[in-house]
Amino acid sequence: MSLIALTLGTVLMMQSAGADLARAEAERLDACVAKIETDPENAYEDGLAWTYEGNRPGARQCAALALIALGNYETGADRLESLASSSDGGSMEQRAIYLSQAGQAWIMAGAPEVAVVSFSDALRFAPGTTELLLDRAGAYLLLEEWDRALPDLDLALANSPGLAEAHQLRAQVYLSKNKYDLALKDVDAAIAADPTNIDTLVVRGRVREAIRIAEADGVPQ
């Protein structure tokens, strides 16, 4: 057999082994995430044990997510951000996922300003991703940075017309900017897309009350 054939066979075997490893890691990570839902402490221990076996990215992600579920938001977020910047962090999509999860942890930690950084970094790996745009817009709303949230929501709706969550968030932006007619249009669009969403109904009530007060005060609409 020629050297080229031997080399080709070795490459194919390595590719197959790599695919098997990735599949096994994905299955183990899924099991860990499922356990986090019911028993985060044991899931964290599983993640540590997995880490000692080889410090695989899935092991580090598992442990970080378990820490977040246990209320250690900052530590978990820091670990996910480190994973996103590591040499074995995986594909661009995987790194964006780590950063998105870190951003959510920062929100839970009451640090939306740090969450904005994580979501922005995630968007560098996955530009224009609708879910990430919504995440960052939500963080901007918590910071009351309406003008920074609006472009993200406009782009999210350009990507996914009629998306209920985007319309609801944009309604809140317009309400905060006293643009009640635009807010009401977005509320109506959000309700049309998801008629039973309680949060949207609450926003509609706020918009209607703001319009009532403005009319009573003689403020032109």
Side-chain angles (χ1 to χ4, degrees), residues 71-146:
N72 298 314
Y73 307 125
E74 296 91 342
T75 302
D78 283 337
R79 291 191 182 189
L80 288 167
E81 289 173 350
S82 295
L83 180 54
S85 62
S86 67
S87 60
D88 61 347
S91 66
M92 303 282 271
E93 181 182 4
Q94 287 172 314
R95 293 172 194 269
I97 289 171
Y98 303 146
L99 289 164
S100 173
Q101 292 170 337
Q104 295 295 342
W106 287 121
I107 294 290
M108 290 186 279
E113 69 284 356
V114 187
V116 165
V117 176
S118 294
F119 294 138
S120 296
D121 289 342
L123 281 161
R124 293 189 182 96
F125 287 114
T129 301
T130 298
E131 190 60 39
L132 290 173
L133 291 167
L134 294 177
D135 286 339
R136 187 168 67 175
Y140 282 140
L141 260 66
L142 291 173
L143 294 167
E144 299 185 358
E145 295 185 6
W146 322 119

Side-chain angles (χ1 to χ4, degrees), residues 14-29:
M14 290 175 64
Q15 289 176 341
S16 177
D20 289 343
L21 178 62
R23 183 164 50 252
E25 182 162 343
E27 291 173 355
R28 192 165 180 178
L29 180 58

Side-chain angles (χ1 to χ4, degrees), residues 30-215:
D30 287 344
C32 173
V33 171
K35 183 177 283 191
I36 287 172
E37 295 291 328
T38 58
D39 193 352
E41 188 170 347
N42 275 330
Y44 177 64
E45 292 177 1
D46 287 350
L48 288 181
W50 186 7
T51 299
Y52 293 143
E53 292 173 17
N55 201 32
R56 295 290 303 162
R60 281 130 65 197
Q61 186 183 12
C62 167
L65 293 175
L67 282 172
I68 293 167
L70 288 167
N72 298 314
Y73 307 125
E74 296 91 342
T75 302
D78 283 337
R79 291 191 182 189
L80 288 167
E81 289 173 350
S82 295
L83 180 54
S85 62
S86 67
S87 60
D88 61 347
S91 66
M92 303 282 271
E93 181 182 4
Q94 287 172 314
R95 293 172 194 269
I97 289 171
Y98 303 146
L99 289 164
S100 173
Q101 292 170 337
Q104 295 295 342
W106 287 121
I107 294 290
M108 290 186 279
E113 69 284 356
V114 187
V116 165
V117 176
S118 294
F119 294 138
S120 296
D121 289 342
L123 281 161
R124 293 189 182 96
F125 287 114
T129 301
T130 298
E131 190 60 39
L132 290 173
L133 291 167
L134 294 177
D135 286 339
R136 187 168 67 175
Y140 282 140
L141 260 66
L142 291 173
L143 294 167
E144 299 185 358
E145 295 185 6
W146 322 119
D147 289 332
R148 299 183 74 181
L150 192 56
D152 281 353
L153 297 170
D154 288 342
L155 181 54
L157 283 166
N159 293 342
S160 303
L163 186 62
E165 183 180 357
H167 279 297
Q168 181 205 118
L169 292 174
R170 195 169 68 176
Q172 294 180 57
V173 171
Y174 285 138
L175 173 60
S176 299
K177 293 167 69 68
N178 299 327
K179 296 182 177 181
Y180 304 131
D181 288 346
L182 292 175
L184 196 56
K185 287 180 181 178
D186 269 323
V187 165
D188 289 343
I191 290 175
D194 185 3
T196 62
N197 188 290
I198 299 299
D199 292 334
T200 301
L201 298 177
V202 170
V203 174
R204 181 175 65 179
R206 291 173 54 205
V207 173
R208 287 177 172 176
E209 179 63 9
I211 291 173
R212 185 192 67 77
I213 292 172
E215 289 175 346

